[in-house]
């Protein structure tokens, strides 16, 4: 992978002066609090460290204590402490997609109308210590496996699980009316569950089968079912609805299966607690390649062909790295969290756009000093 960094000034960033970054600052502050009070975030290969972010973390919490959240003050905060560096990669051009938190009606017990379960993680499903050097019998790259009495084996895949591999183990959290709804909750890694006279609750990612993720959108394009320029979450759902006899087989070509844990909905406005261990901020949290980037890193993302979530004009926003995903690979690659519910799903489902990524490197970091020299 070829990667170069190009220094910019904040005044040169298209849309920087017009952005309203208060929510991004709130998201950054949550990560700052977590990193200072709980545990530092692991350093990605780009090289930005917890130590690099310490001055900004402390300043963010102090600024919040004074209650100053106007756009000019927040922009000045980032301009004083960070240097924008464009991520340039010839072989992996910048790309943004979108994701969201679905809402699914469920029942606490299975019935004819609600037969499709969300499952908890089996107790004997464990992480592979080193996916690059797995135990015998586990393929290289698998992140999860089953461990029984000191023996390791591959976890059943989607087809096997859906046809009863874990039946009778009491793993069911709730039952949905549509296998497609369950499948898309797997793709998003989360969902809000409502129904059965209970308060709204949340399920979030807690592990996976270990099998490689396969995007069925790419399969549908390769099979000639949907033109490449029409692929979206909406077009995939429409194809599955039009082909009920083929839908299960198509979804099962993605062998990866997701297991969930239950969580409360403490703030209905915010998304689930994701990989960075903070709630996602709608429109301001972004999933990145965790191997390259460090959580809490601010990015300015400019996508000229994508309309902004809340106002007319191109997408030009300060975003905070707070999540990751199997399909998010490369330095200039981001998955934008659009929020929760069907409207957020409409936004997220249509995002597949070229973008420029500007990582905001702390001025005191080696990365900023090397690029500035």
């Amino acid at each position: 992978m070829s990667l170069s960094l190009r220094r910019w000034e904040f005044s040169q960033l298209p849309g920087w002066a017009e952005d309203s970054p208060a929510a991004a600052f709130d998201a950054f502050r949550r990560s700052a609090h977590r990193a200072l009070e709980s545990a530092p975030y692991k350093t990605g290969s780009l090289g930005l460290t917890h130590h690099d972010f310490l001055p900004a973390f402390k300043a963010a919490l102090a600024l919040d204590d004074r209650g100053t959240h106007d756009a000019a003050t927040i922009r000045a905060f980032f301009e004083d402490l960070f240097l924008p560096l464009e991520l340039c990669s010839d072989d992996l051009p910048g790309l943004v997609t979108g994701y969201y938190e679905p809402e699914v009606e469920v029942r606490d017990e299975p019935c004819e109308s609600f037969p499709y379960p969300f499952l908890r993680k089996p107790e004997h499903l464990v992480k592979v210590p080193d996916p690059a050097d797995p135990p015998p019998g586990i393929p290289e790259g698998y992140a999860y496996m089953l461990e029984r009495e000191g023996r390791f084996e591959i976890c059943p895949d989607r087809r096997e699980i859906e046809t009863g591999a874990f039946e009778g183990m009491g793993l069911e959290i709730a039952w949905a009316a549509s296998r497609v709804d369950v499948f898309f909750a797997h793709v998003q890694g989360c969902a809000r569950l409502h129904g059965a006279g209970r308060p709204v609750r949340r399920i979030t990612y807690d592990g996976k089968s270990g099998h490689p993720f396969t995007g069925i959108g790419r399969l549908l394009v390769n099979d000639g079912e949907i033109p490449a320029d029409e692929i979206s979450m909406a077009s995939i759902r429409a194809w599955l609805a039009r082909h009920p006899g083929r839908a299960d087989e198509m979804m099962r070509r993605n062998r990866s299966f997701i297991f969930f844990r239950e969580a409360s909905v403490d703030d209905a406005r915010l998304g689930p607690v994701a990989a960075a261990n903070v709630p996602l901020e709608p429109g301001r949290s972004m999933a990145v390649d965790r191997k390259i980037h460090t959580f809490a890193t601010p990015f300015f993302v400019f996508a000229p062909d994508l309309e902004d979530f809340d106002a007319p004009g191109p997408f030009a926003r300060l975003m905070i790295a707070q999540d990751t995903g199997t399909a998010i690979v490369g330095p200039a690659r981001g998955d934008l969290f659009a929020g929760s519910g069907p409207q957020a799903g409409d936004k997220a489902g249509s995002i597949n756009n070229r973008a420029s990524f500007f990582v905001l490197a702390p001025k005191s970091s080696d990365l900023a000093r090397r690029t500035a020299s």
Side-chain angles (χ1 to χ4, degrees), residues 314-337:
F315 189 95
R317 285 194 173 206
L318 181 64
M319 305 291 294
I320 310 298
Q322 294 183 317
D323 203 0
T324 192
T326 304
I328 312 305
V329 178
R333 177 71 175 91
D335 207 17
L336 312 175
F337 179 67

mmCIF file with all atom_site columns, all heavy atoms in Angstrom, residues 314-337:
data_model
loop_
_atom_site.group_PDB
_atom_site.id
_atom_site.type_symbol
_atom_site.label_atom_id
_atom_site.label_alt_id
_atom_site.label_comp_id
_atom_site.label_asym_id
_atom_site.label_entity_id
_atom_site.label_seq_id
_atom_site.pdbx_PDB_ins_code
_atom_site.Cartn_x
_atom_site.Cartn_y
_atom_site.Cartn_z
_atom_site.occupancy
_atom_site.B_iso_or_equiv
_atom_site.pdbx_formal_charge
_atom_site.auth_seq_id
_atom_site.auth_comp_id
_atom_site.auth_asym_id
_atom_site.auth_atom_id
_atom_site.pdbx_PDB_model_num
ATOM 1   N N   . PRO A 1 314 ? -22.428 19.884 -0.428 1.00 0.00 ? 314 PRO A N   1
ATOM 2   C CA  . PRO A 1 314 ? -21.626 18.661 -0.312 1.00 0.00 ? 314 PRO A CA  1
ATOM 3   C C   . PRO A 1 314 ? -21.255 18.339 1.122  1.00 0.00 ? 314 PRO A C   1
ATOM 4   O O   . PRO A 1 314 ? -21.218 19.216 1.985  1.00 0.00 ? 314 PRO A O   1
ATOM 5   C CB  . PRO A 1 314 ? -20.384 18.979 -1.151 1.00 0.00 ? 314 PRO A CB  1
ATOM 6   C CG  . PRO A 1 314 ? -20.287 20.466 -1.146 1.00 0.00 ? 314 PRO A CG  1
ATOM 7   C CD  . PRO A 1 314 ? -21.691 20.970 -1.113 1.00 0.00 ? 314 PRO A CD  1
ATOM 8   N N   . PHE A 1 315 ? -20.995 17.063 1.358  1.00 0.00 ? 315 PHE A N   1
ATOM 9   C CA  . PHE A 1 315 ? -20.599 16.590 2.682  1.00 0.00 ? 315 PHE A CA  1
ATOM 10  C C   . PHE A 1 315 ? -19.197 17.097 2.995  1.00 0.00 ? 315 PHE A C   1
ATOM 11  O O   . PHE A 1 315 ? -18.223 16.767 2.307  1.00 0.00 ? 315 PHE A O   1
ATOM 12  C CB  . PHE A 1 315 ? -20.628 15.066 2.711  1.00 0.00 ? 315 PHE A CB  1
ATOM 13  C CG  . PHE A 1 315 ? -20.454 14.476 4.082  1.00 0.00 ? 315 PHE A CG  1
ATOM 14  C CD1 . PHE A 1 315 ? -21.561 14.126 4.845  1.00 0.00 ? 315 PHE A CD1 1
ATOM 15  C CD2 . PHE A 1 315 ? -19.186 14.265 4.607  1.00 0.00 ? 315 PHE A CD2 1
ATOM 16  C CE1 . PHE A 1 315 ? -21.406 13.576 6.112  1.00 0.00 ? 315 PHE A CE1 1
ATOM 17  C CE2 . PHE A 1 315 ? -19.024 13.717 5.868  1.00 0.00 ? 315 PHE A CE2 1
ATOM 18  C CZ  . PHE A 1 315 ? -20.132 13.382 6.627  1.00 0.00 ? 315 PHE A CZ  1
ATOM 19  N N   . ALA A 1 316 ? -19.073 17.907 4.025  1.00 0.00 ? 316 ALA A N   1
ATOM 20  C CA  . ALA A 1 316 ? -17.787 18.456 4.458  1.00 0.00 ? 316 ALA A CA  1
ATOM 21  C C   . ALA A 1 316 ? -17.869 18.573 5.973  1.00 0.00 ? 316 ALA A C   1
ATOM 22  O O   . ALA A 1 316 ? -18.378 19.581 6.497  1.00 0.00 ? 316 ALA A O   1
ATOM 23  C CB  . ALA A 1 316 ? -17.508 19.807 3.806  1.00 0.00 ? 316 ALA A CB  1
ATOM 24  N N   . ARG A 1 317 ? -17.367 17.561 6.686  1.00 0.00 ? 317 ARG A N   1
ATOM 25  C CA  . ARG A 1 317 ? -17.624 17.471 8.121  1.00 0.00 ? 317 ARG A CA  1
ATOM 26  C C   . ARG A 1 317 ? -16.412 16.997 8.909  1.00 0.00 ? 317 ARG A C   1
ATOM 27  O O   . ARG A 1 317 ? -15.633 16.162 8.440  1.00 0.00 ? 317 ARG A O   1
ATOM 28  C CB  . ARG A 1 317 ? -18.753 16.477 8.398  1.00 0.00 ? 317 ARG A CB  1
ATOM 29  C CG  . ARG A 1 317 ? -20.128 16.965 8.069  1.00 0.00 ? 317 ARG A CG  1
ATOM 30  C CD  . ARG A 1 317 ? -21.167 16.070 8.691  1.00 0.00 ? 317 ARG A CD  1
ATOM 31  N NE  . ARG A 1 317 ? -22.491 16.632 8.518  1.00 0.00 ? 317 ARG A NE  1
ATOM 32  C CZ  . ARG A 1 317 ? -23.509 16.395 9.321  1.00 0.00 ? 317 ARG A CZ  1
ATOM 33  N NH1 . ARG A 1 317 ? -23.358 15.607 10.365 1.00 0.00 ? 317 ARG A NH1 1
ATOM 34  N NH2 . ARG A 1 317 ? -24.682 16.934 9.103  1.00 0.00 ? 317 ARG A NH2 1
ATOM 35  N N   . LEU A 1 318 ? -16.343 17.520 10.121 1.00 0.00 ? 318 LEU A N   1
ATOM 36  C CA  . LEU A 1 318 ? -15.415 16.977 11.102 1.00 0.00 ? 318 LEU A CA  1
ATOM 37  C C   . LEU A 1 318 ? -16.018 15.703 11.668 1.00 0.00 ? 318 LEU A C   1
ATOM 38  O O   . LEU A 1 318 ? -17.159 15.692 12.128 1.00 0.00 ? 318 LEU A O   1
ATOM 39  C CB  . LEU A 1 318 ? -15.184 17.997 12.219 1.00 0.00 ? 318 LEU A CB  1
ATOM 40  C CG  . LEU A 1 318 ? -14.204 17.593 13.315 1.00 0.00 ? 318 LEU A CG  1
ATOM 41  C CD1 . LEU A 1 318 ? -12.796 17.411 12.755 1.00 0.00 ? 318 LEU A CD1 1
ATOM 42  C CD2 . LEU A 1 318 ? -14.199 18.634 14.432 1.00 0.00 ? 318 LEU A CD2 1
ATOM 43  N N   . MET A 1 319 ? -15.247 14.602 11.604 1.00 0.00 ? 319 MET A N   1
ATOM 44  C CA  . MET A 1 319 ? -15.703 13.295 12.076 1.00 0.00 ? 319 MET A CA  1
ATOM 45  C C   . MET A 1 319 ? -14.678 12.763 13.074 1.00 0.00 ? 319 MET A C   1
ATOM 46  O O   . MET A 1 319 ? -13.496 13.123 13.024 1.00 0.00 ? 319 MET A O   1
ATOM 47  C CB  . MET A 1 319 ? -15.837 12.315 10.913 1.00 0.00 ? 319 MET A CB  1
ATOM 48  C CG  . MET A 1 319 ? -16.721 12.784 9.769  1.00 0.00 ? 319 MET A CG  1
ATOM 49  S SD  . MET A 1 319 ? -18.484 12.887 10.180 1.00 0.00 ? 319 MET A SD  1
ATOM 50  C CE  . MET A 1 319 ? -18.882 11.151 10.444 1.00 0.00 ? 319 MET A CE  1
ATOM 51  N N   . ILE A 1 320 ? -15.122 11.874 13.958 1.00 0.00 ? 320 ILE A N   1
ATOM 52  C CA  . ILE A 1 320 ? -14.244 11.299 14.970 1.00 0.00 ? 320 ILE A CA  1
ATOM 53  C C   . ILE A 1 320 ? -14.203 9.783  14.786 1.00 0.00 ? 320 ILE A C   1
ATOM 54  O O   . ILE A 1 320 ? -15.254 9.142  14.669 1.00 0.00 ? 320 ILE A O   1
ATOM 55  C CB  . ILE A 1 320 ? -14.711 11.638 16.402 1.00 0.00 ? 320 ILE A CB  1
ATOM 56  C CG1 . ILE A 1 320 ? -14.977 13.143 16.537 1.00 0.00 ? 320 ILE A CG1 1
ATOM 57  C CG2 . ILE A 1 320 ? -13.668 11.176 17.423 1.00 0.00 ? 320 ILE A CG2 1
ATOM 58  C CD1 . ILE A 1 320 ? -13.770 14.037 16.307 1.00 0.00 ? 320 ILE A CD1 1
ATOM 59  N N   . ALA A 1 321 ? -13.009 9.209  14.765 1.00 0.00 ? 321 ALA A N   1
ATOM 60  C CA  . ALA A 1 321 ? -12.844 7.758  14.600 1.00 0.00 ? 321 ALA A CA  1
ATOM 61  C C   . ALA A 1 321 ? -13.246 7.051  15.889 1.00 0.00 ? 321 ALA A C   1
ATOM 62  O O   . ALA A 1 321 ? -12.549 7.148  16.901 1.00 0.00 ? 321 ALA A O   1
ATOM 63  C CB  . ALA A 1 321 ? -11.395 7.431  14.241 1.00 0.00 ? 321 ALA A CB  1
ATOM 64  N N   . GLN A 1 322 ? -14.379 6.333  15.852 1.00 0.00 ? 322 GLN A N   1
ATOM 65  C CA  . GLN A 1 322 ? -14.887 5.692  17.064 1.00 0.00 ? 322 GLN A CA  1
ATOM 66  C C   . GLN A 1 322 ? -15.414 4.284  16.829 1.00 0.00 ? 322 GLN A C   1
ATOM 67  O O   . GLN A 1 322 ? -16.050 3.699  17.699 1.00 0.00 ? 322 GLN A O   1
ATOM 68  C CB  . GLN A 1 322 ? -15.980 6.566  17.693 1.00 0.00 ? 322 GLN A CB  1
ATOM 69  C CG  . GLN A 1 322 ? -15.435 7.901  18.210 1.00 0.00 ? 322 GLN A CG  1
ATOM 70  C CD  . GLN A 1 322 ? -16.466 8.760  18.891 1.00 0.00 ? 322 GLN A CD  1
ATOM 71  O OE1 . GLN A 1 322 ? -17.585 8.883  18.423 1.00 0.00 ? 322 GLN A OE1 1
ATOM 72  N NE2 . GLN A 1 322 ? -16.084 9.381  19.996 1.00 0.00 ? 322 GLN A NE2 1
ATOM 73  N N   . ASP A 1 323 ? -15.140 3.731  15.654 1.00 0.00 ? 323 ASP A N   1
ATOM 74  C CA  . ASP A 1 323 ? -15.633 2.391  15.365 1.00 0.00 ? 323 ASP A CA  1
ATOM 75  C C   . ASP A 1 323 ? -14.766 1.782  14.269 1.00 0.00 ? 323 ASP A C   1
ATOM 76  O O   . ASP A 1 323 ? -13.911 2.458  13.682 1.00 0.00 ? 323 ASP A O   1
ATOM 77  C CB  . ASP A 1 323 ? -17.101 2.449  14.930 1.00 0.00 ? 323 ASP A CB  1
ATOM 78  C CG  . ASP A 1 323 ? -17.852 1.134  15.132 1.00 0.00 ? 323 ASP A CG  1
ATOM 79  O OD1 . ASP A 1 323 ? -17.227 0.163  15.626 1.00 0.00 ? 323 ASP A OD1 1
ATOM 80  O OD2 . ASP A 1 323 ? -19.044 1.073  14.801 1.00 0.00 ? 323 ASP A OD2 1
ATOM 81  N N   . THR A 1 324 ? -14.997 0.511  13.985 1.00 0.00 ? 324 THR A N   1
ATOM 82  C CA  . THR A 1 324 ? -14.279 -0.168 12.920 1.00 0.00 ? 324 THR A CA  1
ATOM 83  C C   . THR A 1 324 ? -15.205 -1.212 12.313 1.00 0.00 ? 324 THR A C   1
ATOM 84  O O   . THR A 1 324 ? -16.331 -1.387 12.777 1.00 0.00 ? 324 THR A O   1
ATOM 85  C CB  . THR A 1 324 ? -12.983 -0.808 13.451 1.00 0.00 ? 324 THR A CB  1
ATOM 86  O OG1 . THR A 1 324 ? -12.166 -1.233 12.361 1.00 0.00 ? 324 THR A OG1 1
ATOM 87  C CG2 . THR A 1 324 ? -13.274 -1.990 14.361 1.00 0.00 ? 324 THR A CG2 1
ATOM 88  N N   . GLY A 1 325 ? -14.760 -1.886 11.274 1.00 0.00 ? 325 GLY A N   1
ATOM 89  C CA  . GLY A 1 325 ? -15.583 -2.895 10.625 1.00 0.00 ? 325 GLY A CA  1
ATOM 90  C C   . GLY A 1 325 ? -14.763 -3.725 9.666  1.00 0.00 ? 325 GLY A C   1
ATOM 91  O O   . GLY A 1 325 ? -13.740 -3.264 9.138  1.00 0.00 ? 325 GLY A O   1
ATOM 92  N N   . THR A 1 326 ? -15.214 -4.953 9.439  1.00 0.00 ? 326 THR A N   1
ATOM 93  C CA  . THR A 1 326 ? -14.474 -5.882 8.598  1.00 0.00 ? 326 THR A CA  1
ATOM 94  C C   . THR A 1 326 ? -14.232 -5.327 7.210  1.00 0.00 ? 326 THR A C   1
ATOM 95  O O   . THR A 1 326 ? -13.160 -5.545 6.619  1.00 0.00 ? 326 THR A O   1
ATOM 96  C CB  . THR A 1 326 ? -15.240 -7.212 8.500  1.00 0.00 ? 326 THR A CB  1
ATOM 97  O OG1 . THR A 1 326 ? -15.482 -7.722 9.814  1.00 0.00 ? 326 THR A OG1 1
ATOM 98  C CG2 . THR A 1 326 ? -14.446 -8.247 7.716  1.00 0.00 ? 326 THR A CG2 1
ATOM 99  N N   . ALA A 1 327 ? -15.218 -4.621 6.650  1.00 0.00 ? 327 ALA A N   1
ATOM 100 C CA  . ALA A 1 327 ? -15.111 -4.134 5.275  1.00 0.00 ? 327 ALA A CA  1
ATOM 101 C C   . ALA A 1 327 ? -14.412 -2.788 5.175  1.00 0.00 ? 327 ALA A C   1
ATOM 102 O O   . ALA A 1 327 ? -14.227 -2.272 4.066  1.00 0.00 ? 327 ALA A O   1
ATOM 103 C CB  . ALA A 1 327 ? -16.503 -4.044 4.654  1.00 0.00 ? 327 ALA A CB  1
ATOM 104 N N   . ILE A 1 328 ? -14.011 -2.203 6.302  1.00 0.00 ? 328 ILE A N   1
ATOM 105 C CA  . ILE A 1 328 ? -13.380 -0.880 6.292  1.00 0.00 ? 328 ILE A CA  1
ATOM 106 C C   . ILE A 1 328 ? -11.873 -1.087 6.262  1.00 0.00 ? 328 ILE A C   1
ATOM 107 O O   . ILE A 1 328 ? -11.229 -1.269 7.304  1.00 0.00 ? 328 ILE A O   1
ATOM 108 C CB  . ILE A 1 328 ? -13.813 -0.051 7.519  1.00 0.00 ? 328 ILE A CB  1
ATOM 109 C CG1 . ILE A 1 328 ? -15.330 -0.107 7.692  1.00 0.00 ? 328 ILE A CG1 1
ATOM 110 C CG2 . ILE A 1 328 ? -13.337 1.385  7.369  1.00 0.00 ? 328 ILE A CG2 1
ATOM 111 C CD1 . ILE A 1 328 ? -16.113 0.324  6.469  1.00 0.00 ? 328 ILE A CD1 1
ATOM 112 N N   . VAL A 1 329 ? -11.302 -1.049 5.067  1.00 0.00 ? 329 VAL A N   1
ATOM 113 C CA  . VAL A 1 329 ? -9.895  -1.398 4.868  1.00 0.00 ? 329 VAL A CA  1
ATOM 114 C C   . VAL A 1 329 ? -9.210  -0.301 4.067  1.00 0.00 ? 329 VAL A C   1
ATOM 115 O O   . VAL A 1 329 ? -9.664  0.060  2.980  1.00 0.00 ? 329 VAL A O   1
ATOM 116 C CB  . VAL A 1 329 ? -9.745  -2.749 4.135  1.00 0.00 ? 329 VAL A CB  1
ATOM 117 C CG1 . VAL A 1 329 ? -8.278  -3.067 3.901  1.00 0.00 ? 329 VAL A CG1 1
ATOM 118 C CG2 . VAL A 1 329 ? -10.418 -3.860 4.934  1.00 0.00 ? 329 VAL A CG2 1
ATOM 119 N N   . GLY A 1 330 ? -8.126  0.228  4.609  1.00 0.00 ? 330 GLY A N   1
ATOM 120 C CA  . GLY A 1 330 ? -7.346  1.237  3.909  1.00 0.00 ? 330 GLY A CA  1
ATOM 121 C C   . GLY A 1 330 ? -7.304  2.538  4.679  1.00 0.00 ? 330 GLY A C   1
ATOM 122 O O   . GLY A 1 330 ? -8.157  2.821  5.529  1.00 0.00 ? 330 GLY A O   1
ATOM 123 N N   . PRO A 1 331 ? -6.315  3.373  4.403  1.00 0.00 ? 331 PRO A N   1
ATOM 124 C CA  . PRO A 1 331 ? -6.141  4.613  5.172  1.00 0.00 ? 331 PRO A CA  1
ATOM 125 C C   . PRO A 1 331 ? -7.209  5.667  4.888  1.00 0.00 ? 331 PRO A C   1
ATOM 126 O O   . PRO A 1 331 ? -7.620  6.383  5.797  1.00 0.00 ? 331 PRO A O   1
ATOM 127 C CB  . PRO A 1 331 ? -4.755  5.100  4.733  1.00 0.00 ? 331 PRO A CB  1
ATOM 128 C CG  . PRO A 1 331 ? -4.548  4.497  3.369  1.00 0.00 ? 331 PRO A CG  1
ATOM 129 C CD  . PRO A 1 331 ? -5.232  3.166  3.415  1.00 0.00 ? 331 PRO A CD  1
ATOM 130 N N   . ALA A 1 332 ? -7.665  5.776  3.638  1.00 0.00 ? 332 ALA A N   1
ATOM 131 C CA  . ALA A 1 332 ? -8.655  6.779  3.264  1.00 0.00 ? 332 ALA A CA  1
ATOM 132 C C   . ALA A 1 332 ? -9.998  6.094  3.044  1.00 0.00 ? 332 ALA A C   1
ATOM 133 O O   . ALA A 1 332 ? -10.571 6.116  1.956  1.00 0.00 ? 332 ALA A O   1
ATOM 134 C CB  . ALA A 1 332 ? -8.210  7.529  2.011  1.00 0.00 ? 332 ALA A CB  1
ATOM 135 N N   . ARG A 1 333 ? -10.498 5.493  4.103  1.00 0.00 ? 333 ARG A N   1
ATOM 136 C CA  . ARG A 1 333 ? -11.729 4.706  4.025  1.00 0.00 ? 333 ARG A CA  1
ATOM 137 C C   . ARG A 1 333 ? -12.521 4.951  5.304  1.00 0.00 ? 333 ARG A C   1
ATOM 138 O O   . ARG A 1 333 ? -12.000 4.792  6.419  1.00 0.00 ? 333 ARG A O   1
ATOM 139 C CB  . ARG A 1 333 ? -11.370 3.226  3.884  1.00 0.00 ? 333 ARG A CB  1
ATOM 140 C CG  . ARG A 1 333 ? -12.538 2.273  3.850  1.00 0.00 ? 333 ARG A CG  1
ATOM 141 C CD  . ARG A 1 333 ? -13.321 2.383  2.546  1.00 0.00 ? 333 ARG A CD  1
ATOM 142 N NE  . ARG A 1 333 ? -14.368 1.352  2.510  1.00 0.00 ? 333 ARG A NE  1
ATOM 143 C CZ  . ARG A 1 333 ? -15.606 1.548  2.960  1.00 0.00 ? 333 ARG A CZ  1
ATOM 144 N NH1 . ARG A 1 333 ? -15.936 2.721  3.503  1.00 0.00 ? 333 ARG A NH1 1
ATOM 145 N NH2 . ARG A 1 333 ? -16.495 0.590  2.876  1.00 0.00 ? 333 ARG A NH2 1
ATOM 146 N N   . GLY A 1 334 ? -13.760 5.353  5.163  1.00 0.00 ? 334 GLY A N   1
ATOM 147 C CA  . GLY A 1 334 ? -14.578 5.639  6.336  1.00 0.00 ? 334 GLY A CA  1
ATOM 148 C C   . GLY A 1 334 ? -16.008 5.179  6.150  1.00 0.00 ? 334 GLY A C   1
ATOM 149 O O   . GLY A 1 334 ? -16.553 5.217  5.042  1.00 0.00 ? 334 GLY A O   1
ATOM 150 N N   . ASP A 1 335 ? -16.613 4.748  7.251  1.00 0.00 ? 335 ASP A N   1
ATOM 151 C CA  . ASP A 1 335 ? -18.014 4.354  7.287  1.00 0.00 ? 335 ASP A CA  1
ATOM 152 C C   . ASP A 1 335 ? -18.709 5.337  8.221  1.00 0.00 ? 335 ASP A C   1
ATOM 153 O O   . ASP A 1 335 ? -18.420 5.382  9.428  1.00 0.00 ? 335 ASP A O   1
ATOM 154 C CB  . ASP A 1 335 ? -18.136 2.915  7.793  1.00 0.00 ? 335 ASP A CB  1
ATOM 155 C CG  . ASP A 1 335 ? -19.373 2.200  7.277  1.00 0.00 ? 335 ASP A CG  1
ATOM 156 O OD1 . ASP A 1 335 ? -19.972 2.665  6.294  1.00 0.00 ? 335 ASP A OD1 1
ATOM 157 O OD2 . ASP A 1 335 ? -19.729 1.159  7.850  1.00 0.00 ? 335 ASP A OD2 1
ATOM 158 N N   . LEU A 1 336 ? -19.612 6.145  7.696  1.00 0.00 ? 336 LEU A N   1
ATOM 159 C CA  . LEU A 1 336 ? -20.216 7.234  8.429  1.00 0.00 ? 336 LEU A CA  1
ATOM 160 C C   . LEU A 1 336 ? -21.444 6.742  9.191  1.00 0.00 ? 336 LEU A C   1
ATOM 161 O O   . LEU A 1 336 ? -22.356 6.165  8.592  1.00 0.00 ? 336 LEU A O   1
ATOM 162 C CB  . LEU A 1 336 ? -20.634 8.353  7.468  1.00 0.00 ? 336 LEU A CB  1
ATOM 163 C CG  . LEU A 1 336 ? -19.595 8.791  6.432  1.00 0.00 ? 336 LEU A CG  1
ATOM 164 C CD1 . LEU A 1 336 ? -20.195 9.821  5.477  1.00 0.00 ? 336 LEU A CD1 1
ATOM 165 C CD2 . LEU A 1 336 ? -18.350 9.348  7.106  1.00 0.00 ? 336 LEU A CD2 1
ATOM 166 N N   . PHE A 1 337 ? -21.480 6.980  10.503 1.00 0.00 ? 337 PHE A N   1
ATOM 167 C CA  . PHE A 1 337 ? -22.643 6.567  11.296 1.00 0.00 ? 337 PHE A CA  1
ATOM 168 C C   . PHE A 1 337 ? -23.738 7.604  11.135 1.00 0.00 ? 337 PHE A C   1
ATOM 169 O O   . PHE A 1 337 ? -23.585 8.766  11.532 1.00 0.00 ? 337 PHE A O   1
ATOM 170 C CB  . PHE A 1 337 ? -22.277 6.403  12.763 1.00 0.00 ? 337 PHE A CB  1
ATOM 171 C CG  . PHE A 1 337 ? -23.453 5.998  13.615 1.00 0.00 ? 337 PHE A CG  1
ATOM 172 C CD1 . PHE A 1 337 ? -24.041 4.757  13.457 1.00 0.00 ? 337 PHE A CD1 1
ATOM 173 C CD2 . PHE A 1 337 ? -23.983 6.864  14.562 1.00 0.00 ? 337 PHE A CD2 1
ATOM 174 C CE1 . PHE A 1 337 ? -25.147 4.380  14.220 1.00 0.00 ? 337 PHE A CE1 1
ATOM 175 C CE2 . PHE A 1 337 ? -25.075 6.501  15.341 1.00 0.00 ? 337 PHE A CE2 1
ATOM 176 C CZ  . PHE A 1 337 ? -25.662 5.252  15.156 1.00 0.00 ? 337 PHE A CZ  1
#
